[in-house]
Amino acid sequence: MENYLENNIVRFVQVLRSLGLKIGTSETMDALNAIKSIDLTEKKQFHSALKATLIKDAVHYPLFDHAFREFFVEAPRRESQVAEEGAYAQGMAEAKKELEFQENNLDLDQEYFDMYGRLPQESRERIKEFLRKTSEGKNVTPKFKPVVENVIKGALEYHRSHADLPQVLPVELTGIEEIDAVLHRIAHNQDLGDLFFQNMASIEEKDYQEAAVLIRKLARRLATRISRRYQKSAKIKRIDVRRSLRAGIKYGGTLLDLKYRQKKVQKPEILLLCDVSGSMIKYSRFTLQFMSGLSEVLPRMHAFVFADTLEKIDLRDFSLTTLTESDGWGEGTNLNVALRRLRNEYPGILKPLTVLIILSDTKSLEPHLAAEQLKKIRQKIKEIIWLNPLPGDQWSKYQTVGLFRRYSTMWECSSLAHLAGALRKQLG
Amino acid sequence: MDFSVTELEEKFRQENYICDEGILVPVYLALKLKKPLLITGAPGVGKTEIAKVLSKILGTELIRLQCYEGLDENKALYEWNYQKQLLHIQAGKNSSGEIEDIFSREYLLERPLLKAILKPYQVVLLIDEIDKTDAEFEAFLFEVLSDFQVSVPELGTVKAREIPVVILTSNGERDLSDGLKRRCIFLHIDFPSPEKEAEIVKAKVPGLGTELTWQLVRCVAYLRTELALKKKPSISETLDWAEALLILNAERMTEHLVEQTINLLLKDKEDLDLFRDKGGAREMLRKV
């Protein structure tokens, strides 16, 4: 696309969408119309105009501001940014050249080249050495290329999950280098300060209080939504004759003010199961805080934590650190043990109105046995919601995800935005 | 509407509403693009005030629909005056004359939305605290705001001659529907910076001295940022506090004065307890 302002705005909208913001064509049209009405030489007016037309929730403001700063760069900084973008494009080209098998480029998605480009030099050398030796191996033909590609993907995934590659924000790369360079900068900027979209695992201790304030606000909004959903509605069309007759007395007996039967609705009983093993503990901490904020509107809520055993907790007063540092808590996850204990020791909790919410990355020992337990539980309760911190585009790589998805509705849940969105769709 | 953002700012200032481009540009765009303006923010930050100021700037009437839980189409749009109709029917029976049409405009109770549509000139329609209504009312409203026409079965379709300027406000107690949000220009008003708040206090309570104004806004900033309050003091509470200090002829902030008047800022017992637990007036004045 040529560099006209309108095209830049369309590209900017693409950046925002890749960052997870839902922006439709009508909002884009509003933004294009808005910039015709303002003074384009005034950057603040330009910024406010785009914000007012593209963003419809204040929690998205910090992310928008950050994306705006990185995309619409002023002249003094533009030179260094062009140099950065050039370096990024060069880095991508080098990555593609280095990841070759028998002089053919590996067929990988853009995000893998991006991951490779961000690896420490030592890790890159190891991968290059592996590719060189494999390419030169005895009896190795080009037919091995798909196998080699899968090995490289696995290696890069391993590096991603073991924190060689810190990523603050999940983004969806577009394959357009100019846009991906901006996304890359935004996604890896530790000073973003937007806790709503940030990966929960990367929230630092100094930001816990701010995160707690945000969680309280989100929980309050969802609580109001849940409360209204389960209120008796006046729109149900069954007439309550007795009440209508009583109301008609003031009109001389004429039935002008009809009253309706109010359907009794029951709120679900929530059973929360949080994985607190290893890297899951931060996700569980914030999820438990969030659910605690809903406890007023969902009074019949029970919470448990599990790793290789199961423990009931009080949502109003819990300390994950104390719990997981105590004896008997290991680093691994065994959902089978946890679910079996739940069924045996707390059978009264599993009722037809129960909604089971599990927070876990599905990486459990004895997964097939765990799936069997889940199947038996599913038959007794209303539904199972699974909150999975693994990125959605990687789920196909994990057999356990497919196994547990048979009995649950699974949602990606690595950020507070994901958590609030999933619970809103399921409970609100 | 024939003025620029800068001219709009000047007109707002003349009405003593101090704000920057962050607020002015969305208001300006709502007027220019003829779209509803959805304003969110904590209570007391000045959302409703924007509608009042706009009606003065445009020299037109402000029609207000105050939303509440249980509000339905009858209360928002129109209702028939049943009592008047019944009386008329009764009177008609007694006199044995012909009963005139009881479904005419004479018997129609116009509620705010219909009033705004029927006006022959452009008005400012304020739909206040939309988050207090339910999703069904929101869907109904959305339909009305899209076409600005209403079908009254007995009278036919009524279309607005002049599209009103529509301002919706929300305290953010619940999520509004995506359909409504997408069709509005969006503005979120946060608490102002101490500098901006000092300007607001000087404009609204001009009798308070400069030094005391600065102490006041710094105290309010302390309460908002340093304490995890359930309800942070709003701009309207800051102005209440400023007026109280003026009435008490205060010259400077003292611990005793703060203890006497803190209830104007903190309206929740838990917040008051927290304030005292964290050192109360002494700690606040030490920090500011």
Side-chain angles (χ1 to χ4, degrees):
Chain A
M1 277 193 217
E2 293 173 20
N3 200 19
Y4 300 119
L5 181 60
E6 289 86 1
N7 289 336
N8 272 335
I9 287 175
V10 170
R11 277 185 283 201
F12 181 57
V13 169
Q14 280 184 296
V15 167
L16 294 176
R17 284 177 183 152
S18 294
L19 290 168
L21 298 179
K22 291 193 175 68
I23 299 175
T25 312
S26 67
E27 284 109 302
T28 311
M29 294 302 302
D30 285 343
L32 292 170
N33 287 330
I35 58 164
K36 292 176 193 166
S37 307
I38 54 152
D39 182 354
L40 287 174
T41 62
E42 291 283 339
K43 190 170 183 182
K44 282 186 182 171
Q45 285 191 26
F46 181 66
H47 174 266
S48 298
L50 291 187
K51 197 184 229 182
T53 47
L54 297 177
I55 303 299
K56 304 298 165 109
D57 195 327
V59 290
H60 300 160
Y61 274 3
L63 189 63
F64 172 87
D65 290 338
H66 192 66
F68 184 90
R69 272 197 306 275
E70 292 297 334
F71 190 85
F72 294 105
V73 177
E74 286 170 0
R77 218 185 118 209
R78 183 71 191 137
E79 274 180 35
S80 66
Q81 195 181 48
V82 165
E84 271 178 40
E85 285 169 15
Y88 178 79
Q90 196 182 350
M92 283 295 106
E94 278 172 12
K96 282 172 186 166
K97 206 156 175 273
E98 287 175 16
L99 293 176
E100 278 184 353
F101 172 72
Q102 294 184 343
E103 293 179 8
N104 288 314
N105 291 123
L106 293 183
D107 189 16
L108 300 175
D109 289 338
Q110 181 76 7
E111 66 164 318
Y112 288 109
F113 291 112
D114 185 77
M115 267 192 253
Y116 176 78
R118 288 182 283 116
L119 279 178
Q121 192 58 31
E122 200 185 314
S123 305
R124 284 172 70 154
E125 289 302 326
R126 275 202 295 272
I127 290 176
K128 275 160 57 180
E129 185 61 17
F130 165 78
L131 283 170
R132 188 187 62 75
K133 283 186 175 165
T134 316
S135 295
E136 291 166 5
K138 216 173 164 180
N139 299 326
V140 174
T141 67
K143 280 185 192 170
F144 281 96
K145 187 162 170 274
V147 174
V148 171
E149 281 166 358
N150 281 336
V151 171
I152 297 299
K153 282 181 196 172
L156 291 171
E157 293 294 345
Y158 171 85
H159 283 297
R160 180 183 5 215
S161 64
H162 285 75
D164 272 23
L165 304 172
Q167 182 161 356
V168 177
L169 279 185
V171 296
E172 211 176 294
L173 296 177
T174 62
I176 303 168
E177 271 170 9
E178 191 187 338
I179 295 178
D180 287 347
V182 175
L183 289 170
H184 175 89
R185 274 200 305 279
I186 295 168
H188 294 89
N189 189 329
Q190 299 288 339
D191 297 326
L192 174 60
D194 185 357
L195 297 173
F196 188 62
F197 287 100
Q198 197 170 326
N199 193 311
M200 284 190 259
S202 67
I203 296 178
E204 294 168 4
E205 206 167 318
K206 63 180 174 66
D207 294 323
Y208 279 3
Q209 195 181 358
E210 196 184 330
V213 169
L214 178 59
I215 287 169
R216 262 204 306 276
K217 185 175 163 185
L218 294 169
R220 199 169 54 237
R221 273 162 69 163
L222 182 57
T224 315
R225 195 180 171 97
I226 291 172
S227 178
R228 282 167 202 262
R229 182 184 176 185
Y230 290 99
Q231 266 175 3
K232 295 169 184 176
S233 168
K235 309 287 193 294
I236 304 299
K237 298 292 182 196
R238 285 177 63 203
I239 302 222
D240 188 331
V241 176
R242 186 173 169 169
R243 285 172 62 230
S244 299
L245 283 171
R246 286 177 69 89
I249 291 171
K250 64 176 177 276
Y251 299 115
T254 311
L255 295 180
L256 280 173
D257 187 8
L258 292 174
K259 302 291 182 192
Y260 296 92
R261 282 195 181 280
Q262 292 173 339
K263 188 179 172 187
K264 190 172 176 178
V265 286
Q266 284 190 308
K267 293 182 183 176
E269 295 189 16
I270 303 295
L271 172 53
L272 182 63
L273 218 58
C274 285
D275 184 346
V276 293
S277 63
S279 61
M280 285 298 306
I281 195 159
K282 271 195 182 175
Y283 296 107
S284 290
R285 178 194 304 279
F286 296 122
T287 304
L288 286 166
Q289 277 180 1
F290 193 102
M291 296 306 289
S292 169
L294 297 180
S295 55
E296 255 185 59
V297 290
L298 295 169
R300 289 186 294 261
M301 182 156 28
H302 305 279
F304 293 81
V305 294
F306 72 96
D308 52 9
T309 184
L310 179 78
E311 190 98 12
K312 194 170 198 290
I313 59 166
D314 182 355
L315 273 174
R316 288 162 301 182
D317 179 23
F318 64 91
S319 164
L320 291 181
T321 321
T322 313
L323 188 65
T324 56
E325 278 173 2
S326 65
D327 291 341
W329 282 84
E331 285 282 317
T333 305
N334 195 323
L335 184 61
N336 171 44
V337 166
L339 292 178
R340 209 175 52 234
R341 277 193 67 182
L342 186 72
R343 287 180 63 220
N344 294 339
E345 294 173 31
Y346 303 93
I349 272 179
L350 302 171
K351 295 186 267 195
L353 274 182
T354 302
V355 173
L356 170 59
I357 301 177
I358 301 176
L359 173 74
S360 172
D361 57 8
T362 75
K363 294 177 189 170
S364 165
L365 299 167
E366 304 178 309
H368 290 279
L369 293 177
E372 275 303 309
Q373 293 292 334
L374 208 63
K375 183 179 174 184
K376 286 175 185 164
I377 289 174
R378 181 67 187 86
Q379 285 161 356
K380 288 190 175 185
I381 64 173
K382 189 175 176 189
E383 70 177 311
I384 300 176
I385 300 166
W386 195 297
L387 304 176
N388 188 347
L390 291 175
D393 56 2
Q394 292 173 36
W395 288 359
S396 54
K397 300 176 182 120
Y398 296 92
Q399 194 194 14
T400 46
V401 170
L403 204 56
F404 297 134
R405 267 180 109 172
R406 280 181 220 159
Y407 310 109
S408 65
T409 308
M410 196 172 279
W411 294 86
E412 184 179 346
C413 185
S414 59
S415 64
L416 292 174
H418 287 148
L419 177 62
L423 292 178
R424 182 186 168 203
K425 290 207 167 76
Q426 292 285 170
L427 304 178
Chain B
M1 191 203 72
D2 222 358
F3 38 82
S4 64
V5 175
T6 317
E7 285 163 353
L8 185 66
E9 183 184 4
E10 188 45 45
K11 289 179 191 294
F12 265 64
R13 211 167 262 278
Q14 283 167 8
E15 300 295 334
N16 281 335
Y17 193 101
I18 313 294
C19 57
D20 57 19
E21 281 102 347
I23 292 176
L24 284 166
V25 167
V27 173
Y28 179 79
L29 289 175
L31 295 172
K32 268 284 194 189
L33 302 178
K34 296 190 192 325
K35 284 183 145 307
L37 176 65
L38 172 60
I39 311 177
T40 66
V45 294
K47 303 185 293 293
T48 305
E49 195 64 23
I50 287 180
K52 293 178 184 171
V53 165
L54 264 182
S55 73
K56 286 180 188 163
I57 289 172
L58 298 174
T60 189
E61 195 181 334
L62 174 69
I63 294 177
R64 183 176 186 157
L65 172 64
Q66 179 61 52
C67 297
Y68 53 88
E69 208 173 310
L71 177 66
D72 60 15
E73 297 95 75
N74 290 340
K75 299 285 184 298
L77 196 55
Y78 74 90
E79 212 174 1
W80 291 106
N81 193 337
Y82 303 116
Q83 289 90 336
K84 193 172 176 181
Q85 288 171 322
L86 278 172
L87 280 171
H88 184 81
I89 292 168
Q90 213 59 38
K93 274 186 193 168
N94 291 341
S95 68
S96 311
E98 273 191 24
I99 300 172
E100 68 181 50
D101 187 10
I102 56 169
F103 290 106
S104 60
R105 292 286 280 265
E106 192 190 339
Y107 298 91
L108 188 69
L109 291 172
E110 292 172 5
R111 302 298 188 204
L113 290 183
L114 188 60
K115 265 191 199 158
I117 288 171
L118 290 176
K119 289 289 180 189
Y121 47 85
Q122 188 182 51
V123 298
V124 174
L125 172 61
L126 169 63
I127 301 172
D128 213 5
E129 298 184 335
I130 182 73
D131 53 323
K132 289 205 158 66
T133 62
D134 56 26
E136 286 144 333
F137 181 81
E138 220 182 284
F140 150 75
L141 190 70
F142 172 61
E143 199 187 317
V144 169
L145 294 181
S146 298
D147 301 328
F148 284 101
Q149 70 181 29
V150 164
S151 292
V152 181
E154 296 81 2
L155 297 180
T157 301
V158 179
K159 202 172 166 64
R161 270 180 270 179
E162 289 286 342
I163 307 287
V165 174
V166 181
I167 311 281
L168 301 106
T169 70
S170 167
N171 290 331
E173 282 179 20
R174 70 170 178 90
D175 281 338
L176 299 175
S177 69
D178 286 347
L180 184 66
K181 287 196 283 191
R182 280 172 199 283
R183 276 150 181 82
C184 297
I185 302 293
F186 181 80
L187 166 61
H188 176 77
I189 303 182
D190 208 344
F191 295 116
S193 63
E195 292 76 18
K196 191 58 79 178
E197 199 155 21
E199 263 191 82
I200 295 170
V201 172
K202 280 179 194 162
K204 297 278 192 182
V205 190
L208 209 62
T210 306
E211 182 58 35
L212 186 54
T213 300
W214 274 107
Q215 284 185 309
L216 182 146
V217 299
R218 283 199 291 263
C219 285
V220 173
Y222 165 86
L223 291 172
R224 285 178 188 150
T225 53
E226 301 289 330
L227 303 182
L229 298 173
K230 274 173 69 176
K231 190 203 164 298
K232 296 184 187 191
S234 63
I235 302 172
S236 60
E237 279 147 346
T238 306
L239 293 172
D240 288 344
W241 198 27
E243 284 177 9
L245 295 181
L246 192 63
I247 289 168
L248 294 171
N249 293 320
E251 286 173 2
R252 59 182 183 85
M253 206 66 81
T254 61
E255 274 181 46
H256 178 65
L257 192 60
V258 170
E259 292 294 341
Q260 274 188 317
T261 54
I262 193 68
N263 294 63
L264 288 162
L265 292 175
L266 302 179
K267 309 278 175 73
D268 188 279
K269 187 181 178 305
E270 272 184 42
D271 288 344
L272 282 166
D273 291 342
L274 178 66
F275 173 71
R276 288 180 185 124
D277 288 344
K278 295 285 181 188
R282 179 177 298 181
E283 181 62 16
M284 183 167 76
L285 292 175
R286 189 186 71 79
K287 284 241 168 106
V288 306

